[in-house]
Amino acid sequence: MTKSEFAEILTRATEGDHAALDKIFELYMPLIDKHSVVGGRFDEDCKQYIMLQVALQIARFKI
């Protein structure tokens, strides 16, 4: 994915495009999964919290 393609997806996600937000989640899911480990165990609630915060806060991004 090129920088311009990513910028387009991010812009659309910040504007409320659900498909673009899904693509952002797809791209960053390995990182989200990595940070969803609590006490050495995968925590689904933590993963859901991270995804919720991304979804809620992405509109605040300045592009």
Side-chain angles (χ1 to χ4, degrees):
M1 172 178 296
T2 66
K3 287 182 182 182
S4 62
E5 289 171 334
F6 180 77
E8 175 65 25
I9 291 170
L10 186 58
T11 300
R12 290 190 353 244
T14 62
E15 294 170 351
D17 183 332
H18 295 286
L21 183 59
D22 286 343
K23 184 65 175 172
I24 296 290
F25 282 134
E26 181 183 318
L27 291 169
Y28 284 94
M29 196 54 64
L31 184 62
I32 292 170
D33 286 342
K34 177 182 175 184
H35 288 285
S36 298
V37 175
V38 178
R41 295 178 50 145
F42 180 78
D43 187 331
E44 184 68 32
D45 290 335
C46 183
K47 178 179 178 176
Q48 293 298 318
Y49 179 79
I50 292 169
M51 293 176 69
L52 176 63
Q53 290 305 309
V54 170
L56 292 173
Q57 300 300 326
I58 201 162
R60 299 176 72 192
F61 285 17
K62 303 291 184 220
I63 299 177

